[in-house]
Amino acid sequence: FLEAGRKYLIAAEKFPNSAIEQESLFMAGESYFQADYYWESNRSYENLIKAYPNNRYLNEVEKRRYAIARYWLDLSKKSPEPFYTVNLFDQERPWRDTKGHGLRVFDKMRSLDDPGGKLADDATLALANEAFAAGKFYKADEYYTDLRKLYPDSEHQFLANYLGLKAKLQCYVGPEYSVASLDEGEKLIKHMWRAYPQEAEKERLYLDRAAAEIRYHKAEKLFHWGEYYDRRK
């Protein structure tokens, strides 16, 4: 596979701007993928997309890139790297920052390389979940909102609403600040009951608790400002 990958890259170099270059870049990516040289594989796929944005292999390429990015993120959880680590020997990983490269692939898939592709919504959900798990709730909320608005036919719509609600509740910081995230969370709860009644019924316990929490925080804010104006006479 490694020998095949190198020869495909030579073929691509010798026949620029041709069908041979397009096929060679794709097959180089496939060869390196089969050899578990994921960094080289992804680089060949990205070179293919850069040279031929609407190439006929795009669906297959994005499946491979999604698998590579998912593997890198899972690997970074299983064996985290110190920030100063440089990888010189493991061909499955990038040279450094395995997690960062996985996130970068997902972000490029959804925003630059194939924003209307079959896996763009999956990539957006993966980014949102990673941000949520890392405690970056504002960023997670951004991604969940993108998923709801940009991919209305996605199979992940209920998750985008449900996890988006959790992110919005985490974004609320107290009665001295805006309740915009609470208002948006309230809208999400109503939308879930209206648009996804069966899924919402399964999560009734959490949704009822979230609705009560939102009412409580709103009342808390009114009480806070009531006390403020009372002190001011």
Side-chain angles (χ1 to χ4, degrees):
F1 287 124
L2 289 178
E3 184 180 359
R6 294 187 190 107
K7 289 184 174 180
Y8 280 125
L9 290 181
I10 291 170
E13 190 177 345
K14 286 189 174 183
F15 299 95
N17 304 315
S18 69
I20 291 178
E21 181 189 28
Q22 185 177 152
E23 185 173 356
S24 296
L25 288 172
F26 171 69
M27 290 306 298
E30 290 289 282
S31 299
Y32 285 121
F33 185 88
Q34 295 299 333
D36 297 335
Y37 274 51
Y38 297 140
W39 170 255
E40 291 292 345
S41 176
N42 183 63
R43 185 162 66 171
S44 294
Y45 291 138
E46 289 193 350
N47 287 337
L48 170 62
I49 294 172
K50 185 177 179 180
Y52 304 95
N54 298 312
N55 69 83
R56 60 196 176 100
Y57 306 107
L58 194 56
N59 286 340
E60 189 62 33
V61 164
E62 294 303 68
K63 285 180 186 176
R64 294 294 200 202
R65 295 179 71 210
Y66 185 90
I68 290 170
R70 182 78 271 164
Y71 179 75
W72 282 345
L73 290 178
D74 291 344
L75 199 59
S76 68
K77 291 174 186 173
K78 186 178 178 182
S79 51
E81 308 164 293
F83 72 93
Y84 52 80
T85 298
V86 177
N87 171 41
L88 299 175
F89 304 106
D90 187 352
Q91 300 298 336
E92 293 188 351
R93 292 176 180 260
W95 68 283
R96 69 183 303 274
D97 190 16
T98 302
K99 180 179 180 179
H101 278 87
L103 294 174
R104 183 187 68 85
V105 172
F106 279 143
D107 196 43
K108 288 193 73 177
M109 283 177 64
R110 79 182 200 97
S111 60
L112 294 174
D113 298 339
D114 193 19
K118 293 180 179 179
L119 292 174
D121 60 326
D122 298 85
T124 304
L125 179 64
L127 286 168
N129 290 344
E130 289 296 324
F132 191 96
K136 298 177 180 178
F137 300 114
Y138 288 101
K139 197 67 182 173
D141 180 34
E142 225 175 89
Y143 287 132
Y144 289 129
T145 301
D146 281 352
L147 182 51
R148 290 194 302 272
K149 291 183 176 179
L150 301 178
Y151 308 102
D153 298 326
S154 170
E155 61 183 340
H156 306 305
Q157 273 295 313
F158 178 75
L159 268 180
N161 282 270
Y162 180 72
L163 297 176
L165 169 63
K166 290 191 172 188
K168 286 186 184 298
L169 289 178
Q170 291 292 336
C171 288
Y172 178 68
V173 290
E176 296 179 359
Y177 299 90
S178 169
V179 293
S181 64
L182 299 180
D183 290 337
E184 292 164 4
E186 207 164 38
K187 289 177 184 175
L188 288 179
I189 293 173
K190 291 177 181 176
H191 177 69
M192 279 185 274
W193 280 114
R194 185 173 63 252
Y196 312 102
Q198 292 180 343
E199 293 88 341
E201 184 60 40
K202 293 177 183 177
E203 301 295 341
R204 173 181 285 278
L205 186 64
Y206 174 76
L207 293 179
D208 288 348
R209 189 169 68 245
E213 184 179 342
I214 289 172
R215 287 195 301 273
Y216 174 85
H217 285 315
K218 285 188 171 184
E220 183 183 41
K221 182 177 178 66
L222 287 172
F223 192 84
H224 168 79
W225 286 108
E227 285 188 318
Y228 170 78
Y229 285 113
D230 187 54
R231 289 194 301 271
R232 295 288 301 274
K233 304 297 181 183

